[in-house]
Amino acid sequence: NAGVTQTPKFQVLKTGQSMTLQCAQDMNHNSMYWYRQDPGMGLRLIYYSASEGTTDKGEVPNGYNVSRLNKREFSLRLESAAPSQTSVYFCASSTGVINQPQHFGDGTRLSIL
Amino acid sequence: AQTVTQSQPEMSVQEAETVTLSCTYDTSENNYYLFWYKQPPSRQMILVIRQEAYKQQNATENRFSVNFQKAAKSFSLKISDSQLGDTAMYFCAFGGGSNYKLTFGKGTLLTVNP
């Protein structure tokens, strides 16, 4: 029972490099989300996908792009990494009904030098 | 836009005692849900408890219960008989309206001391 799987778990990048964080869920959920977590800031929504084929900006979308590849997968791309994007990134999924909780992956710790 | 405020950045409690974590929110929605998530040092986000706004009865899950005061827009979490494994960051979250998003507070770091 995997739930939400994120890869990689850790990554170090140099400024200007690009990379894609992968997320997959096996719960047949409609909605998927990407958050970043920084000390003292809680979780802030980067992008979300309410359903397959749709994506929308969240609170802090600048510097990121997303792709909802299919119902299971939702990737987050950093085109040109900046030190300000050093953070822990979480992917989550839910049925899309507001009384249902979001289920989270284990997070990716990303450091940009 | 909704806002969620957790006014206690850090708290500590002795093992076996009771502790209450505060959360207030601001919204114009009538239909919404509130959640508490726990994030232990392992970094996992674990759902602790949820409350439907239309229910007056406070939600309870074993040692965890909430005090939901809708008029005051307050949603506190009470942990009874605190255990060492309760040491974690706790996040309050609001979900409501026609969107599918959660708004999180900044978290309260709870330390349970032996």
Side-chain angles (χ1 to χ4, degrees):
Chain A
N1 190 11
V4 179
T5 302
Q6 290 183 235
T7 55
K9 295 192 183 306
F10 301 93
Q11 185 70 48
V12 179
L13 293 178
K14 295 181 179 179
T15 297
Q17 288 185 318
S18 63
M19 82 160 294
T20 300
L21 305 185
Q22 306 288 352
C23 176
Q25 51 92 9
D26 62 2
M27 295 174 283
N28 199 35
H29 283 168
N30 292 316
S31 302
M32 298 185 74
Y33 313 81
W34 276 106
Y35 295 90
R36 61 178 288 173
Q37 183 181 15
D38 303 291
M41 299 298 291
L43 276 77
R44 292 183 292 170
L45 184 65
I46 303 171
Y47 271 94
Y48 69 104
S49 172
S51 60
E52 187 179 357
T54 68
T55 60
D56 286 285
K57 295 179 180 179
E59 182 184 354
V60 288
N62 291 344
Y64 305 94
N65 287 300
V66 291
S67 295
R68 183 75 183 266
L69 304 171
N70 48 54
K71 191 171 186 179
R72 289 187 65 247
E73 298 173 286
F74 188 40
S75 63
L76 177 72
R77 183 163 177 82
L78 287 70
E79 290 291 352
S80 179
S84 61
Q85 294 177 306
T86 293
S87 188
V88 178
Y89 291 85
F90 285 95
C91 177
S93 71
S94 77
T95 60
V97 179
I98 65 168
N99 67 339
Q100 297 300 308
Q102 292 182 10
H103 299 260
F104 286 80
D106 290 341
T108 296
R109 182 173 293 279
L110 181 61
S111 296
I112 300 164
L113 308 178
Chain B
Q2 290 80 21
T3 59
V4 177
T5 301
Q6 294 179 250
S7 59
Q8 305 149 315
E10 295 186 35
M11 295 189 71
S12 63
V13 64
Q14 292 298 120
E15 196 174 7
E17 293 187 346
T18 296
V19 64
T20 298
L21 309 184
S22 300
C23 174
T24 58
Y25 59 94
D26 189 24
T27 185
S28 58
E29 300 287 347
N30 285 320
N31 183 28
Y32 55 88
Y33 290 79
L34 297 160
F35 305 87
W36 278 99
Y37 281 86
K38 168 185 178 180
Q39 186 181 43
S42 65
R43 205 171 69 195
Q44 290 178 299
M45 290 288 288
I46 303 165
L47 177 69
V48 175
I49 200 166
R50 62 178 151 176
Q51 173 78 42
E52 295 90 337
Y54 65 86
K55 283 189 177 180
Q56 293 188 342
Q57 185 175 5
N58 289 324
T60 300
E61 289 286 346
N62 300 314
R63 297 183 295 108
F64 298 87
S65 61
V66 299
N67 182 6
F68 174 50
Q69 301 288 329
K70 190 172 182 178
K73 296 180 180 174
S74 171
F75 181 59
S76 60
L77 175 70
K78 185 172 83 170
I79 306 174
S80 304
D81 186 25
S82 296
Q83 300 175 0
L84 297 178
D86 295 333
T87 292
M89 183 72 83
Y90 287 81
F91 292 98
C92 177
F94 173 100
S98 59
N99 62 52
Y100 305 91
K101 299 179 287 185
L102 289 181
T103 301
F104 285 85
K106 294 184 177 180
T108 296
L109 178 61
L110 176 67
T111 302
V112 180
N113 298 310

